[in-house]
């Protein structure tokens, strides 16, 4: 049996260390303080008995749990990130432990009247009777993704202590700067040397994800002509009106606020305009690769149509791909999802398989040659003061990791 208090203590020892990343920094890790936890993790991985524990100049940590079987088993990996988001402060985290949660409001901070309430966050009611770890209302918690790290370290420790559980070679990877989109950038897939891996970075217990958006960004520039308004007849071209034509020609209901599930969208997130020039910035998202390409074509065609109408090049568009749906890379090796699903069922969890409406480090890693679905780490309300994690979910995630290791060794 996993020791609950041990897992709570481990998690708290991580979240009290501030590891906020910084998108404006160009170094890796983006903030020096991420080294504080990284160095601690290196020592801990050594002390629980892992081998080849390494940390490189960019603070990427890798370690190995050697195989304990004679036959050939593919090497698998488990990955999480130790930075926290710059969206909300992660300094001076003071976790609070709520034993056997009663389903009522949780006063996070009486002084500042900050309440974590199931009236607003109804998923709290999934965890009545369980032990919750919350913030004190003034910081984030950092369960994203220190819950993932806790689970991976605890599972490796458990497997070291229980050699009767048979498994192949397992690699552990901890990265900096995931929250600023750079977690996979300097990840050495070859050195990691796994056939596939799982990021332990999802939310609610049971989550298992292997589909994410295809993503691109588009910058639309509209050229106008400024002339004195009193003498403008037949001469002035107001770029803002032409930009409005562009905006209104895209389907109004294919936007984030009108879509869910597998529905893609165009999202206009910035307009800057004067008569002389207007710049529109969009992101384009779609799970389906063909629909994704078609969306990009729609924007190009619209650009051409407007230019034709004005008989000169008034609009230019620049589209850049950002990331792709990992489904393309995972589907050919679907057994890696099946193993995770089976592992969840065997430890008594109902798998919740759904498509991510965003990207993960796993999607980048999948395109770098390491197929990498995402598994729940257990926390809720990431990136803010209402973040919390049920300890029972962390225990279950730890069991899932051990079970995946075991099932992988049994296949073939
Ligand atoms: Zn995360």
């Amino acid at each position: 049996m996993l020791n609950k208090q041990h897992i709570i203590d481990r998690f708290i020892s991580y979240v009290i260390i501030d590891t906020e990343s910084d998108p404006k920094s160009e170094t890796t890790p983006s903030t020096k303080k991420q080294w504080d936890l990284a160095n601690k993790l290196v020592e801990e991985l050594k002390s629980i008995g892992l081998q080849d524990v390494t940390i490189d100049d960019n603070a990427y940590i890798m370690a190995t749990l050697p195989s304990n079987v004679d036959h050939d088993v593919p090497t698998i990996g488990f990955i999480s990130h130790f930075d926290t988001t710059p969206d909300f402060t992660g300094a001076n985290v003071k976790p609070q432990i709520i034993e056997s949660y009663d389903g009522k409001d949780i006063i996070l901070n009486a002084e500042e009247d900050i309440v974590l309430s199931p009236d607003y966050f109804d998923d709290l009611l999934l965890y009545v009777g369980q032990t919750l770890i919350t913030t004190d209302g003034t910081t984030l918690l950092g369960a994203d993704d220190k819950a993932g790290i806790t689970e991976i370290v605890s599972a490796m420790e458990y497997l070291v202590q229980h050699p009767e559980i048979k498994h192949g070679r397992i690699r552990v990877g901890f990265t900096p700067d995931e929250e600023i989109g750079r977690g996979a950038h300097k990840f050495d897939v070859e050195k990691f040397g796994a056939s596939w891996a799982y990021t332990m970075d999802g939310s609610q217990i049971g989550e298992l994800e292997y589909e994410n958006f295809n993503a691109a960004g588009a910058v639309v520039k509209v050229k106008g002509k400024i002339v004195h308004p009193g003498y403008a007849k037949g001469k002035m071209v107001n770029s803002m009106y032409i930009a409005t034509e562009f905006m209104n020609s895209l389907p109004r209901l294919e936007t984030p606020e009108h879509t869910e599930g597998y529905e893609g969208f165009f999202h206009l997130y910035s307009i800057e305009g004067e008569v002389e020039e207007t710049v529109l910035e969009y992101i384009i998202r779609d799970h389906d690769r063909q629909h994704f390409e078609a969306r990009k074509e729609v924007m190009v065609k619209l650009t051409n149509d407007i230019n034709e109408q004005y008989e000169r090049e008034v609009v230019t568009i620049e589209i850049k791909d950002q990331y792709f749906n990992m489904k393309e890379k995972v589907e050919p090796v679907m057994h890696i999802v099946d193993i995770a699903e089976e592992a969840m069922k065997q430890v008594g969890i109902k798998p919740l398989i759904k498509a991510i409406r965003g990207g993960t480090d796993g999607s980048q890693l999948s395109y770098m040659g390491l197929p990498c679905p995402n598994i729940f780490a257990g926390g809720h309300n990431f990136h803010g003061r209402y973040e919390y994690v049920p300890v029972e979910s962390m225990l279950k995630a730890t069991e899932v990791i051990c079970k995946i290791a075991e099932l992988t060794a049994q296949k073939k």
Side-chain angles (χ1 to χ4, degrees):
M1 275 298 288
L2 289 159
N3 182 312
K4 185 172 169 184
Q5 190 58 47
H6 185 50
I7 285 190
I8 295 173
D9 293 343
R10 173 167 283 148
F11 176 72
I12 288 176
S13 77
Y14 300 157
V15 298
I16 57 174
I17 300 175
D18 177 12
T19 55
E20 190 173 322
S21 48
D22 176 6
K24 286 180 234 108
S25 159
E26 275 164 23
T27 60
T28 311
S30 62
T31 48
K32 274 209 175 112
K33 54 192 171 186
Q34 290 183 62
W35 284 106
D36 298 342
L37 179 54
N39 289 326
K40 173 184 161 64
L41 289 171
V42 167
E43 290 316 308
E44 197 166 345
L45 290 170
K46 286 179 186 163
S47 76
I48 63 167
L50 295 197
Q51 298 184 6
D52 311 321
V53 181
T54 58
I55 181 162
D56 68 14
D57 294 343
N58 299 311
Y60 284 69
I61 298 169
M62 293 183 183
T64 304
L65 176 66
S67 169
N68 62 3
V69 292
D70 297 332
H71 62 285
D72 265 348
V73 176
T75 298
I76 61 170
F78 294 93
I79 296 169
S80 51
H81 63 91
F82 49 77
D83 67 314
T84 61
T85 179
D87 290 352
F88 206 76
T89 181
N92 302 312
V93 173
K94 292 182 203 74
Q96 308 195 76
I97 298 177
I98 317 292
E99 307 270 9
S100 48
Y101 173 55
D102 60 7
K104 300 195 182 116
D105 285 2
I106 298 169
I107 314 280
L108 295 179
N109 195 309
E111 217 167 289
E112 296 187 35
D113 195 25
I114 300 167
V115 179
L116 177 61
S117 170
D119 294 343
Y120 197 81
F121 300 108
D122 56 359
D123 37 45
L124 276 166
L125 297 174
L126 296 169
Y127 307 111
V128 172
Q130 300 192 8
T131 304
L132 305 183
I133 304 181
T134 72
T135 71
D136 71 347
T138 62
T139 67
L140 53 66
L141 180 61
D144 176 12
D145 190 19
K146 291 165 185 171
I149 294 181
T150 302
E151 292 150 8
I152 294 171
V153 174
S154 301
M156 293 307 116
E157 182 180 48
Y158 190 82
L159 291 174
V160 168
Q161 291 168 353
H162 293 266
E164 72 277 11
I165 301 174
K166 297 300 170 196
H167 57 80
R169 179 171 176 263
I170 297 170
R171 291 283 276 162
V172 168
F174 297 147
T175 77
D177 293 337
E178 188 271 352
E179 296 290 0
I180 54 172
R182 301 181 202 158
H185 284 192
K186 295 181 180 168
F187 191 96
D188 189 339
V189 167
E190 205 174 313
K191 177 177 163 195
F192 196 59
S195 300
W196 72 84
Y198 303 92
T199 47
M200 300 298 300
D201 197 16
S203 179
Q204 182 178 333
I205 183 166
E207 278 183 4
L208 171 57
E209 300 158 325
Y210 65 95
E211 295 178 74
N212 59 279
F213 275 144
N214 295 294
V219 179
V220 178
K221 285 187 182 154
V222 185
K223 283 264 171 274
K225 216 176 262 175
I226 181 75
V227 181
H228 187 293
Y231 306 88
K233 188 165 184 186
K235 296 192 181 71
M236 181 190 279
V237 179
N238 191 329
S239 73
M240 291 180 281
Y241 285 116
I242 301 171
T244 310
E245 283 172 45
F246 188 98
M247 285 155 51
N248 290 341
S249 300
L250 289 173
R252 181 61 188 94
L253 297 181
E254 294 178 22
T255 53
E257 64 272 37
H258 291 107
T259 50
E260 61 183 359
Y262 285 104
E263 296 164 339
F265 56 72
F266 302 94
H267 174 45
L268 173 66
Y269 68 92
S270 164
I271 306 179
E272 258 177 71
E274 291 178 351
V275 173
E276 185 74 9
E277 186 182 70
T278 299
V279 179
L280 309 175
E281 291 182 86
Y282 283 89
I283 58 171
I284 305 161
R285 298 287 186 266
D286 211 302
H287 290 102
D288 183 284
R289 185 65 180 261
Q290 272 173 327
H291 291 176
F292 173 66
E293 298 301 333
R295 282 183 192 284
K296 292 191 281 183
E297 279 161 30
V298 163
M299 294 187 93
V300 171
K301 180 166 188 309
L302 180 54
T303 302
N304 294 338
D305 288 352
I306 292 176
N307 288 338
E308 216 164 280
Q309 186 192 325
Y310 285 86
E311 295 177 336
R312 62 187 183 87
E313 193 179 80
V314 284
V315 188
T316 57
I317 185 164
E318 198 188 339
I319 301 179
K320 273 196 188 128
D321 287 332
Q322 293 166 329
Y323 55 82
F324 297 104
N325 190 346
M326 73 166 103
K327 185 182 176 187
E328 245 176 71
K329 301 292 173 190
V330 173
E331 250 177 358
V333 287
M334 210 39 199
H335 60 277
I336 75 177
V337 176
D338 299 339
I339 287 173
E341 195 179 352
E342 180 60 29
M344 285 188 195
K345 287 180 183 158
Q346 287 200 16
V347 303
I349 300 168
K350 188 169 173 271
L352 303 172
I353 300 181
K354 60 183 177 67
I356 308 168
R357 289 179 67 76
T360 68
D361 270 4
S363 68
Q364 288 183 54
L365 291 170
S366 296
Y367 280 84
M368 288 160 72
L370 181 68
C372 199
N374 190 36
I375 291 176
F376 72 93
H380 283 266
N381 303 338
F382 292 160
H383 299 192
R385 65 174 94 241
Y386 298 107
E387 191 181 4
Y388 72 93
V389 64
V391 177
E392 283 78 356
S393 295
M394 286 201 282
L395 287 162
K396 278 294 176 194
T398 307
E399 282 184 53
V400 168
I401 296 169
C402 295
K403 190 55 83 176
I404 287 174
E406 198 182 339
L407 289 176
T408 304
Q410 288 166 8
K411 300 275 160 181
K412 286 185 244 180

